Amino acid sequence: MSELNKIALKILSNGKGILAADESTGTMTKRLEAIKVPSSSENRLLFRETLFSSASMKTCIGGVILYDETIKQTASSNKTIPELISSSGAIPGIKVDTGVKVLAGSPQEKITEGLDGLRERLKEYYKHGARFTKWRGVYNISNRYPSKLSINSNAHALARYSALVQECEMVPIVEPEVLMDGNHTAQDCFNKTSEVIKKCFEELLLHNVDLTGIILKPNMILQGNKSENKISSEEVAKLTLKCLKENVPSNVPGIAFLSGGQTEIQATENLNLINRNNNTNFIMTYSYGRALQQSALKFWSKNIKDIQGTQKVFNHRANMCTLAAQGKWSSELETK
Ligand code: 13P
């Protein structure tokens, strides 16, 4: 078993999942302003440190994705943030893309940037304690999109990124996110996501990426958020499993879904059904941002000094997600 495979399995095994706390300062500022909390670096640290020192870090969270600002910060205990995360048994990770820009040649679409100077930045992050990384490609759906150009160029970037990350002995999270925005059907999402994932693996293989040492972070197969053709959670699970079984090579150790704008409960229920019906060899878990943090953030905004209260809300959500990652969640547990 390679070292990279061991890291991936340590992050994903036993119902553990990933806390995606890698919102850029711009995104975090929007989240904090929405709840009327000033977005200072102290407040961003306070909220994140509150999560990273909660009890569920030991039992539920296998890895935490950080943003550049956070990986360099020091917690109130004088531990660095990566040390704080490691002390609970979780692995620190880092978002290394530098965000999305308009895709030249298809200006309605986006391309993710950050390859220039990446090798040097990776070495720095490794010294800070990171052992895995994230890069997100984003695709919108309509009858014209995603275009072949967007599918090919994002897959190429994800593969170049992954090869560099493995060269630096870290596990790349490969995140091709087909967005939920729009009025497309779940079948459209299935078709486009299949095409996107298939191309990503073609490029990963071309760049000699060791597939046993990556984590795939895809979207679930959902109808567009403006679609009237609603499908059930059972159908979401069925289509998601079919898409991954058909397009992901079997030596990939695990899949950690993004929540992508689903509510906390939807993201938990869908993951639970995916695991109850999992007919693949892949570990299926979560790498949630909003679906792990939303309630905790809301509570915290009204009780900024109440660390324990905030942690209680976060622990509950993490526990529910970890049960779902084992197919053991039920809606009654939400109110217990
Ligand atoms: P969401 O779960 O909020 O979609 O965030 C996950 C993530 O890391 C997006 O890149």
Side-chain angles (χ1 to χ4, degrees):
M1 191 192 283
S2 72
E3 280 308 308
L4 294 179
N5 184 245
K6 276 191 207 154
I7 296 173
L9 290 176
K10 185 161 182 233
I11 296 170
L12 304 174
S13 296
N14 305 320
K16 287 193 173 179
I18 299 171
L19 167 59
D22 60 322
E23 299 85 0
S24 65
T25 301
T27 302
M28 199 58 187
T29 298
K30 274 190 219 141
R31 303 255 155 94
L32 293 179
E33 281 173 354
I35 52 168
K36 310 222 162 10
V37 174
S39 179
S40 59
S41 90
E42 290 77 18
N43 280 344
R44 293 192 290 272
L45 176 63
L46 178 61
F47 178 66
R48 286 167 166 158
E49 186 183 344
T50 301
L51 302 188
F52 304 161
S53 29
S54 61
S56 56
M57 284 291 297
K58 286 201 173 84
T59 49
C60 302
I61 304 298
V64 180
I65 318 173
L66 299 167
Y67 182 60
D68 180 75
E69 174 185 60
T70 327
I71 200 168
K72 296 169 182 164
Q73 284 175 319
T74 302
S76 48
S77 59
N78 270 337
K79 284 187 178 125
T80 65
I81 289 292
E83 283 167 357
L84 174 65
I85 291 167
S86 303
S87 69
S88 68
I91 299 184
I94 180 79
K95 184 228 299 284
V96 301
D97 68 65
T98 55
V100 294
K101 292 274 163 61
V102 170
L103 174 62
S106 184
Q108 303 301 316
E109 299 185 282
K110 298 282 194 300
I111 183 72
T112 306
E113 296 197 336
L115 288 171
D116 287 355
L118 180 58
R119 183 179 270 129
E120 290 68 35
R121 286 196 292 126
L122 290 172
K123 286 181 187 152
E124 278 303 304
Y125 288 137
Y126 189 95
K127 281 191 209 147
H128 281 289
R131 292 297 177 267
F132 75 102
T133 65
K134 181 188 110 172
W135 178 290
R136 171 174 174 261
V138 27
Y139 311 80
N140 42 315
I141 300 193
S142 71
N143 47 7
R144 295 173 55 195
Y145 303 124
S147 65
K148 285 261 178 291
L149 175 62
S150 140
I151 293 174
N152 290 356
S153 47
N154 276 295
H156 176 82
L158 277 162
R160 280 190 59 200
Y161 140 82
S162 299
L164 281 162
V165 170
Q166 288 194 338
E167 180 189 278
C168 205
E169 292 169 28
M170 296 189 277
V171 169
I173 293 189
V174 175
E175 181 179 9
E177 176 175 6
V178 178
L179 294 172
M180 201 207 254
D181 305 341
N183 57 9
H184 53 272
T185 63
Q187 189 60 45
D188 295 329
C189 179
F190 176 91
N191 295 341
K192 303 293 187 185
T193 305
S194 298
E195 205 181 332
V196 161
I197 292 180
K198 196 164 175 229
K199 189 70 197 172
C200 283
F201 282 103
E202 261 177 54
E203 288 287 328
L204 288 165
L205 288 171
L206 190 64
H207 288 76
N208 298 320
V209 172
D210 169 11
L211 297 187
T212 69
I214 72 158
I215 295 170
L216 179 69
K217 175 163 172 166
N219 50 285
M220 294 179 190
I221 304 299
L222 304 165
Q223 77 271 335
N225 56 7
K226 296 194 190 81
S227 166
E228 278 160 20
N229 297 310
K230 297 259 175 294
I231 62 164
S232 66
S233 288
E234 283 76 14
E235 285 170 290
V236 170
K238 207 170 124 198
L239 285 172
T240 303
L241 285 162
K242 186 170 184 309
C243 173
L244 297 170
K245 203 172 174 167
E246 287 177 1
N247 297 293
V248 183
S250 59
N251 55 346
V252 170
I255 292 170
F257 294 97
L258 57 96
S259 62
Q262 297 181 73
T263 65
E264 290 178 340
I265 301 292
Q266 281 167 348
T268 312
E269 182 176 15
N270 289 337
L271 179 63
N272 188 54
L273 285 168
I274 287 170
N275 277 291
R276 288 224 177 139
N277 296 292
N278 189 357
N279 54 354
T280 71
N281 290 324
F282 307 122
I283 297 173
M284 299 276 189
T285 187
Y286 56 92
S287 175
Y288 292 164
R290 285 162 286 179
L292 268 177
Q293 299 182 62
Q294 219 159 47
S295 294
L297 191 58
K298 197 165 158 207
F299 179 92
W300 178 75
S301 71
K302 299 199 181 76
N303 312 269
I304 206 159
K305 298 226 169 77
D306 188 353
I307 307 277
Q308 283 183 357
T310 307
Q311 290 179 335
K312 197 169 159 205
V313 178
F314 175 69
N315 286 335
H316 172 73
R317 207 61 258 138
N319 283 324
M320 293 297 108
C321 288
T322 277
L323 286 170
Q326 302 165 91
K328 291 181 184 163
W329 174 86
S330 70
S331 57
E332 295 79 58
L333 295 170
E334 287 290 341
T335 46
K336 263 194 184 163

